[in-house]
Amino acid sequence: MTVAEKAIGSSVAAPTPVPAPVRVPDQAWLAAFAVVPILATVYQTLVLTDVTDDVIRKGIDGEHYSMIWTNVCWGIATIYGVFGGIWAMARVGSRSTLLVGLIWFALGNLLCGAAIDVTTMSVAKLVEGIGKGMVIVICRALLYRQFDRMVIVAIGFYGVIAYATRPTTPLLTALVNDAFSWRWVFWMNVPLALLAIPLVRRFIKPDRPAKPLPLRIDWIGVTLFVAWIVSLTFVFGWYRKWGGWTSNAFTATAVLAILLPVALAAWVGAGLAVSEHIRRMFRVRIYVLAMCVRMLMLLQLLAVLTLMAKYCSALRDYPREVAGWVLAPATFTMAISTFLTTYFHRRGLRHLWLFVGVVGCAACLWWMSSVDNFTSKEQVALMVGCWGLFVGLFPPAFLQDEVEGLDRRDFLYAGAVAVVFLIVPIVVVPTMTSTIVSAWTDRAADAQRMNIRENRPEVQESSARVADYYHERGVSGPELSQKTATVLGGFVKTEAAAHGIQSGLRFLSLIVGGLGLIVTILLYKRRELFGHA
């Protein structure tokens, strides 16, 4: 046998061994189990009261516009909690900071359930927001570290449990409210948050640094940013209450909202040179774009679930439990699409699936805008389910881009920039949507009333048919006129409300489609330019 034959024979006889697949260690799964109570409580507060909002407001004797104070206090505390968590994490470790945040969150929910008026609810929201901010800034990264090289498994787990479950939260809170009271909507979070504490201590590895890291937080910059967010909230939330630019209060707040970002940019710019800012922003651009994708998903979960809950409970007068069931199909479809795109993971198709998700969400939102007073609950549930199928394509894309697109040395700077892109749209767009819904509702109501006053033939015919209906049942005289007017007035009110919700959903469709396509194109161009296929 020749040397060549021997070489060929040896290569055939001893093929290159196939590396065994990397197995996820049991400790990682135990860590994932430990954070389930956190993902089931802290991460659900954004949509916690979609179906029970009016019950809670009436329970604390709160007026519609005064409830903005509870949202403002919650938002302020959450932002300070995020940066406070970053500050504490560098000194005592992620696990210890997470445990402290859970204690604050449990105490805040205990106080929320015991609130008696808007003031006490606002104070309770301050406490809850601090805990939420400290937890959300740490929990995801802490979970990823437990999975090490199999971080894609952690991403899929996190995407399904933290995000796909949110459309079911309104149903659970409706069931809790009907079985007990609105106070238990908050109190049910307390035992779950406390349960997470021993689980985290037992299954999450301690990471307290041997020497505290001197991480500096620019608290003046954080305060300027918080003040800007508060001014935006009041500008868009109280626009109709103040009467727009005819009010001195609105004008002063609007001017403040314009000046504060200028002051913030000037303050931050004083610490670093312009060239340094440009260099850092270019370095963290992928992380910021990924946070924009997260913002689009959270924006939809917040605004769409709120609008559809309002449609079901306020306009169609469905029981709260039924309204919850109408929203719940999105959980199933979101879980399916998130799981499949994670399980059959191909990095080259990541932004293609994101493109499909953006276009599909925009189309489904436009489809939802066709709902009216006669749309069946089954069809509405189908619309919500189809929308959830496309929303579920968002988490695998932005969660992977966040992991791959950030150097740990830029963590604080990237987080500060990303918070702006994340929080500002979430504050502004839902409030603008609510204002658009109210404005179009009023405009439609005025148009309908004008039609009634002008006694148009269609109105006269409808009035005559309603009068005949009551006349056949023995109603006559002044009572007949009163009932006829009540029916026509109620029809005007419901038609106007439906028109307002339709306008709000169309506005969301355009926002999601426009911003989503821009962000997706930028992410895809980055992959082409830098070869991250």
Side-chain angles (χ1 to χ4, degrees):
M1 183 179 292
T2 65
V3 175
E5 289 174 337
K6 290 182 179 179
I8 295 173
S10 62
S11 65
V12 173
T16 303
V18 179
V22 180
R23 189 179 70 88
V24 179
D26 294 338
Q27 181 65 32
W29 287 118
L30 292 174
F33 170 74
V35 301
V36 167
I38 300 175
L39 303 181
T41 53
V42 182
Y43 281 77
Q44 308 300 320
T45 54
L46 198 67
V47 297
L48 188 67
T49 60
D50 282 345
V51 175
T52 56
D53 180 68
D54 60 325
V55 180
I56 296 172
R57 179 174 58 82
K58 293 174 183 176
I60 59 176
D61 295 324
E63 186 261 337
H64 173 71
Y65 283 108
S66 67
M67 294 300 290
I68 195 174
W69 289 107
T70 64
N71 296 329
V72 165
C73 290
W74 182 77
I76 291 173
T78 301
I79 295 174
Y80 276 107
V82 166
F83 286 98
I86 295 173
W87 178 87
M89 178 175 57
R91 286 162 173 78
V92 301
S94 300
R95 192 183 74 163
S96 298
T97 305
L98 181 64
L99 295 176
V100 173
L102 287 171
I103 293 173
W104 277 92
F105 180 78
L107 177 60
N109 276 272
L110 184 66
L111 295 176
C112 285
I116 58 175
D117 54 23
V118 174
T119 302
T120 53
M121 179 63 82
S122 299
V123 173
K125 286 290 186 178
L126 282 172
V127 178
E128 183 204 16
I130 291 174
K132 179 182 176 69
M134 295 178 69
V135 171
I136 62 176
V137 77
I138 293 171
C139 184
R140 185 177 72 258
L142 196 63
L143 174 65
Y144 288 177
R145 284 204 296 270
Q146 311 302 312
F147 281 79
D148 195 19
R149 289 182 297 168
M150 294 298 292
V151 69
I152 187 64
V153 178
I155 287 173
F157 175 84
Y158 181 86
V160 172
I161 304 299
Y163 295 129
T165 54
R166 297 195 186 190
T168 307
T169 300
L171 172 62
L172 297 177
T173 55
L175 295 173
V176 169
N177 175 74
D178 293 343
F180 303 101
S181 72
W182 66 267
R183 299 186 184 277
W184 282 96
V185 171
F186 299 102
W187 285 343
M188 69 178 181
N189 287 325
V190 176
L192 287 174
L194 295 178
L195 172 64
I197 293 176
L199 292 177
V200 169
R201 285 181 58 85
R202 175 65 180 84
F203 298 121
I204 300 291
K205 302 172 185 176
D207 60 346
R208 187 184 185 95
K211 182 180 179 181
L213 302 177
L215 185 62
R216 177 179 171 271
I217 303 293
D218 184 0
W219 293 109
I220 295 179
V222 173
T223 302
L224 287 173
F225 176 68
V226 168
W228 180 34
I229 293 298
V230 171
S231 63
L232 288 174
T233 303
F234 279 103
V235 163
F236 292 102
W238 277 9
Y239 172 81
R240 298 175 73 249
K241 178 183 180 180
W242 278 333
W245 294 101
T246 59
S247 166
N248 292 333
F250 175 84
T251 302
T253 308
V255 171
L256 190 64
I258 295 172
L259 295 178
L260 279 172
V262 178
L264 176 62
W267 174 262
V268 175
L272 291 173
V274 175
S275 59
E276 177 66 12
H277 272 298
I278 295 175
R279 185 178 66 83
R280 284 194 175 188
M281 291 190 69
F282 185 78
R283 203 163 59 199
V284 303
R285 67 197 182 283
I286 303 305
Y287 181 79
V288 173
L289 288 173
M291 290 296 285
C292 290
V293 178
R294 177 194 293 271
M295 174 272 297
L296 286 173
M297 186 201 67
L298 293 177
L299 175 64
Q300 291 185 80
L301 290 174
L302 174 61
V304 174
L305 294 179
T306 300
L307 278 178
M308 298 311 293
K310 181 178 180 181
Y311 167 80
C312 292
S313 57
L315 181 61
R316 301 299 299 273
D317 200 27
Y318 292 151
R320 289 181 181 83
E321 180 181 348
V322 174
W325 280 113
V326 170
L327 301 177
T331 286
F332 180 69
T333 52
M334 277 188 69
I336 288 177
S337 56
T338 298
F339 173 78
L340 291 178
T341 49
T342 305
Y343 186 79
F344 299 102
H345 169 61
R346 290 190 63 185
R347 296 176 62 190
L349 297 178
R350 180 190 311 171
H351 299 121
L352 174 62
W353 288 120
L354 178 60
F355 173 80
V356 173
V358 167
V359 174
C361 284
C364 287
L365 290 174
W366 197 270
W367 182 25
M368 284 186 201
S369 68
S370 65
V371 295
D372 55 26
N373 298 319
F374 306 101
T375 306
S376 67
K377 63 176 75 70
E378 292 80 10
Q379 184 175 350
V380 176
L382 176 63
M383 294 176 179
V384 173
C386 290
W387 165 74
L389 186 67
F390 292 103
V391 176
L393 297 175
F394 281 63
F398 72 76
L399 290 175
Q400 293 173 68
D401 281 329
E402 285 178 3
V403 171
E404 299 173 2
L406 182 63
D407 191 321
R408 291 185 62 85
R409 295 172 297 177
D410 299 318
F411 175 74
L412 185 59
Y413 185 86
V417 175
V419 162
V420 176
F421 286 89
L422 178 66
I423 294 181
V424 172
I426 288 179
V427 170
V428 171
V429 175
T431 310
M432 287 180 62
T433 303
S434 178
T435 302
I436 289 172
V437 169
S438 300
W440 277 101
T441 298
D442 293 345
R443 181 179 297 183
D446 291 340
Q448 293 281 5
R449 293 191 188 99
M450 185 65 69
N451 289 337
I452 292 178
R453 282 199 298 269
E454 292 179 357
N455 291 322
R456 293 187 175 182
E458 295 84 355
V459 178
Q460 293 178 353
E461 182 181 353
S462 300
S463 179
R465 290 184 177 182
V466 174
D468 290 341
Y469 173 83
Y470 283 112
H471 184 71
E472 292 175 357
R473 284 153 180 79
V475 181
S476 60
E479 185 181 4
L480 178 63
S481 301
Q482 182 181 5
K483 287 185 175 294
T484 302
T486 300
V487 170
L488 291 178
F491 175 76
V492 167
K493 182 179 179 180
T494 55
E495 282 291 307
H499 190 75
I501 291 175
Q502 292 168 357
S503 302
L505 288 169
R506 291 191 186 105
F507 172 74
L508 278 176
S509 175
L510 296 176
I511 290 293
V512 171
L515 293 180
L517 288 177
I518 292 173
V519 173
T520 303
I521 290 171
L522 290 175
L523 285 170
Y524 182 76
K525 287 295 183 182
R526 166 259 183 185
R527 183 177 67 86
E528 278 192 336
L529 290 174
F530 296 94
H532 293 290

